[in-house]
Amino acid sequence: MKRPSPLLALFFVACGGEVLTSQPIALDVGGIKEGDIRNEAYNRDKSITSDSGNPFHEFITQSTGKLDGKAPSRIGVERIVLAVDGDSKGIGSLGLATIMKNVQVYVEKDATVALTEIEEVPEGAMFDVPVSASEDDLKVMQTRMLASDFKVGIRGDAVSSRPQDFDLKVNVQITFVAYE
């Protein structure tokens, strides 16, 4: 899967100057191999600043600029898409469901906030997952999010009948919103 260039990853929609929305910020959270599954569970995370061009930090910087130099009051999550990276190996037409039984996408640093939880991973290489984290849930992460100092991760349970040799590379795409 191709990532958008950092320049294209930053697109804002202003609603009365109060809400700024990012393009999906894609994070390859790493590969999940058989050896990474412990007690039939997996967990992968990655710093929000680790991708080339640091698109999340650019989103915060541009949001501050659009708000006349004032930092956003809070950051939210509008949309999450999970995708199998094209470099994955041993993953059939079931896509993520080849390995994952359920999944939680989370943000963390000093605290962990689940952005979404799905009990049954749908078949396919790419799908939207509903955002379940509320504004109240994200309060504990606001300082870290505004400072671009947090991780995005996925975790959950693995299916019991998975291929012997696989490398599932997962791409988490999150659309963030910044509020005035």
Side-chain angles (χ1 to χ4, degrees):
M1 169 178 298
K2 283 191 135 181
R3 287 189 206 155
S5 73
L7 295 175
L8 294 176
L10 301 165
F11 173 75
F12 299 96
V13 177
C15 297
E18 296 177 1
V19 179
L20 303 167
T21 304
S22 74
Q23 282 291 337
I25 295 175
L27 282 166
D28 291 323
V29 292
I32 299 170
K33 299 176 183 159
E34 182 61 39
D36 297 323
I37 296 175
R38 305 240 191 310
N39 297 320
E40 297 302 306
Y42 59 88
N43 188 6
R44 281 285 187 232
D45 61 35
K46 189 171 187 181
S47 172
I48 192 70
T49 62
S50 60
D51 275 7
S52 177
N54 198 349
F56 183 81
H57 180 73
E58 285 298 313
F59 168 64
I60 297 298
T61 299
Q62 289 192 11
S63 294
T64 300
K66 296 255 185 201
L67 296 172
D68 297 324
K70 204 171 104 184
S73 64
R74 68 186 194 283
I75 303 296
V77 176
E78 182 175 272
R79 184 176 182 214
I80 301 171
V81 175
L82 293 178
V84 174
D85 189 276
D87 292 338
S88 295
K89 295 180 176 111
I91 307 303
S93 62
L94 295 178
L96 294 166
T98 304
I99 308 302
M100 301 175 174
K101 183 174 12 178
N102 57 46
V103 67
Q104 179 187 74
V105 177
Y106 61 91
V107 291
E108 72 172 1
K109 184 76 176 207
D110 302 330
T112 302
V113 176
L115 299 177
T116 186
E117 295 183 59
I118 51 175
E119 290 299 317
E120 289 192 39
V121 174
E123 294 179 10
M126 178 183 278
F127 55 90
D128 279 88
V129 292
V131 177
S132 58
S134 69
E135 187 176 320
D136 280 344
D137 294 333
L138 287 170
K139 277 183 183 177
V140 69
M141 289 296 297
Q142 289 304 305
T143 300
R144 294 296 189 173
M145 292 175 86
L146 290 166
S148 302
D149 184 23
F150 64 100
K151 292 182 179 184
V152 172
I154 60 166
R155 65 177 160 220
D157 297 320
V159 297
S160 56
S161 58
R162 55 190 175 268
Q164 290 296 315
D165 185 28
F166 64 89
D167 185 3
L168 173 61
K169 295 181 181 174
V170 181
N171 183 282
V172 178
Q173 301 168 22
I174 303 177
T175 303
F176 291 95
V177 290
Y179 298 91
E180 185 172 32

